[in-house]
Amino acid sequence: MNIYGLTYDELENIFVDMGSKKFHGNQLFSWLYEKRINSYDEATNIKKELRSEIESKYSIDKLKIVNIEKDVDVIKYLFELNDKEHIEAVLMRHDYGNSVCVSSQVGCNMGCKFCESGRRKKVRNLETYEMVLQILQIEEDLGERISHVVIMGIGEPFDNYDNVIKFIKIINHPKGLAIGARHITVSTCGIVPKIEEFSNLELQVNLAISLHAPNNTLRNKLMPINKVYPLEVLIPSLKEYIKKTNRRLTFEYILLEGINDGIDNALELSKLVKGMNCYINLIPYNETNNIEFKRSKTVQIMRFYDILKKNRINVTIRREFGSNISAACGQLRSKKEDL
Ligand code: SAH
């Protein structure tokens, strides 16, 4: 077990369980996240015996950064985990701050046809500490604060729900990394029972849904999860989410040339989301060598955008980062492991 996987409350409790005082939890949390110690010996206001006891139970080791690729406003990190698996995280500089895209699993079982990460089946879920350390270590490498986090890297976060929620609690905690809930976004391909669970959490975290198609026939072809939770099940669960949380939802829609970027698709999409408190983020597809889909031409992207606008749907086109540096989700890992 690793100390960076414990929430504030859990850290307090382990001191109580050791027969000591709760406030040491507060002290250690502050050593870890404010003072950024690398060894328990540095936590000088906690008695030596207590420190040794914690050390015997919880490792304080970090992940190994094995590759860094840089481009304008973007840095891609490849991490090696203890079992030698690799995951990616991406730092993006915006005018509003630094955001990091974190991975939630090694591999992914969702099998979306356009996705590089999904070419490798899930090996395992990431532990909470492996997500926390992606953020902490990028902050340290950069020497700057991370203000925004998107859980949109390798993996399906709602297929690793409990660890992801714990991760959110740790980075959101005012004494942890203090990243505001409104600055955290979790993205899912649409696992409905987890969307329902998420709706009941009293966290102000943003939810994004990878939609990518406005009808079941097309969505079934692109995203196998749609056969389990088709649109007539997914959309009502999202309406319920909006009602319960009073929050605006994001739909992600990758534009794939000749597949889902037609005028008819745009009209059908407008109808599907009409009246929902949402906005659509159009994503220019990142092509990869291993998958045959092509990115829509810019005129087609603009045409699609205009139709949504005309239908009074909130829509944006995602700004692109780092197409020169293996930017497509999962490319850095597949380059490293040649899979
Ligand atoms: N499994 C989650 C989160 C990870 S994928 C989900 O499905 O939302 C994050 C986003 O990147 C998803 O919208 C996914 O569909 C999209 N994506 C995957 N491959 C892509 C590519 N090559 N180019 C652009 N977006 C891609």
Side-chain angles (χ1 to χ4, degrees):
M1 287 198 282
N2 187 296
I3 198 73
Y4 293 103
L6 298 183
T7 61
Y8 184 86
D9 293 351
E10 286 173 335
L11 209 51
E12 283 188 336
N13 287 336
I14 63 166
F15 280 99
V16 175
D17 290 346
M18 290 189 302
S20 180
K21 294 281 188 299
K22 210 167 148 175
F23 71 85
H24 288 312
N26 182 359
Q27 289 174 328
L28 186 54
F29 212 68
S30 145
W31 283 110
L32 294 173
Y33 297 105
E34 284 166 14
K35 306 187 192 89
R36 305 288 169 98
I37 56 172
N38 290 309
S39 123
Y40 287 114
D41 296 338
E42 296 171 57
T44 44
N45 58 0
I46 299 172
K47 274 209 270 332
K48 202 158 190 268
E49 301 78 69
L50 274 176
R51 277 188 261 147
S52 312
E53 199 174 336
I54 295 237
E55 188 160 18
S56 67
K57 292 182 184 144
Y58 297 94
S59 153
I60 191 172
D61 290 344
K62 295 195 173 155
L63 309 177
K64 231 196 241 164
I65 297 179
V66 289
N67 191 15
I68 298 182
E69 290 191 9
K70 295 189 183 185
D71 197 351
V72 186
D73 292 340
V74 57
I75 308 178
K76 245 191 154 181
Y77 292 85
L78 189 70
F79 290 94
E80 187 171 282
L81 310 174
N82 289 335
D83 56 2
K84 306 284 180 218
E85 292 291 349
H86 295 102
I87 50 161
E88 297 173 31
V90 184
L91 171 106
M92 290 159 285
R93 295 181 192 278
H94 305 265
D95 46 11
Y96 55 74
N98 293 321
S99 82
V100 169
C101 176
V102 300
S103 292
S104 58
Q105 296 180 318
V106 177
C108 180
N109 275 346
M110 299 301 123
C112 299
K113 295 291 183 282
F114 46 79
C115 179
E116 177 72 22
S117 314
R119 291 197 313 115
R120 189 177 182 210
K121 286 274 155 277
K122 177 169 110 176
V123 175
R124 64 175 177 88
N125 284 329
L126 288 192
E127 298 295 334
T128 303
Y129 80 89
E130 292 169 324
M131 292 182 263
V132 172
L133 285 175
Q134 292 173 56
I135 310 287
L136 196 76
Q137 290 182 240
I138 292 180
E139 268 198 357
E140 285 175 4
D141 178 70
L142 211 62
E144 289 172 38
R145 186 168 182 270
I146 310 292
S147 56
H148 291 67
V149 169
V150 295
I151 308 168
M152 293 188 187
I154 299 173
E156 167 50 48
F158 280 2
D159 185 36
N160 183 15
Y161 187 82
D162 294 343
N163 290 347
V164 165
I165 298 302
K166 263 177 79 174
F167 159 67
I168 291 173
K169 286 188 176 152
I170 294 171
I171 62 169
N172 174 235
H173 198 282
K175 293 189 167 130
L177 293 172
I179 298 171
R182 288 186 173 78
H183 290 179
I184 300 172
T185 302
V186 46
S187 174
T188 177
C189 61
I191 299 182
V192 168
K194 295 299 169 191
I195 294 173
E196 287 166 0
E197 223 175 307
F198 190 74
S199 308
N200 294 324
L201 277 188
E202 290 185 6
L203 284 174
Q204 304 289 311
V205 175
N206 303 307
L207 181 62
I209 302 293
S210 296
L211 190 64
H212 308 325
N215 61 59
N216 284 329
T217 314
L218 190 51
R219 200 162 188 265
N220 283 341
K221 282 190 199 145
L222 296 174
M223 304 176 69
I225 192 73
N226 197 66
K227 296 182 190 146
V228 188
Y229 305 112
L231 291 174
E232 65 276 13
V233 176
L234 177 62
I235 297 292
S237 83
L238 299 175
K239 289 186 174 159
E240 190 59 28
Y241 164 85
I242 294 169
K243 202 164 105 192
K244 271 196 182 144
T245 61
N246 217 359
R247 300 191 61 73
R248 177 188 280 192
L249 185 77
T250 305
F251 283 112
E252 295 156 278
Y253 194 102
I254 302 179
L255 288 164
L256 303 164
E257 182 168 46
I259 304 283
N260 66 354
D261 65 348
I263 292 174
D264 50 335
N265 302 128
L267 289 170
E268 200 173 6
L269 179 59
S270 310
K271 243 200 214 142
L272 184 70
V273 305
K274 192 91 213 158
M276 289 174 82
N277 181 18
C278 70
Y279 83 91
I280 294 181
N281 200 355
L282 297 176
I283 308 175
Y285 181 58
N286 270 315
E287 294 177 8
T288 95
N289 291 335
N290 306 306
I291 301 173
E292 75 279 17
F293 289 120
K294 292 275 167 274
R295 157 196 300 237
S296 303
K297 300 270 180 302
T298 308
V299 303
Q300 198 60 28
I301 298 179
M302 291 318 296
R303 200 170 295 153
F304 203 94
Y305 173 90
D306 286 342
I307 293 170
L308 293 176
K309 270 268 175 224
K310 251 187 225 131
N311 282 284
R312 297 175 176 280
I313 308 295
N314 300 308
V315 55
T316 51
I317 299 176
R318 179 175 291 173
R319 183 183 154 200
E320 283 190 80
F321 284 93
S323 19
N324 300 328
I325 55 157
S326 324
C329 323
Q331 272 185 342
L332 202 58
R333 182 206 57 82
S334 40
K335 226 161 71 179
K336 166 92 186 171
E337 297 178 358
D338 208 15
L339 288 169

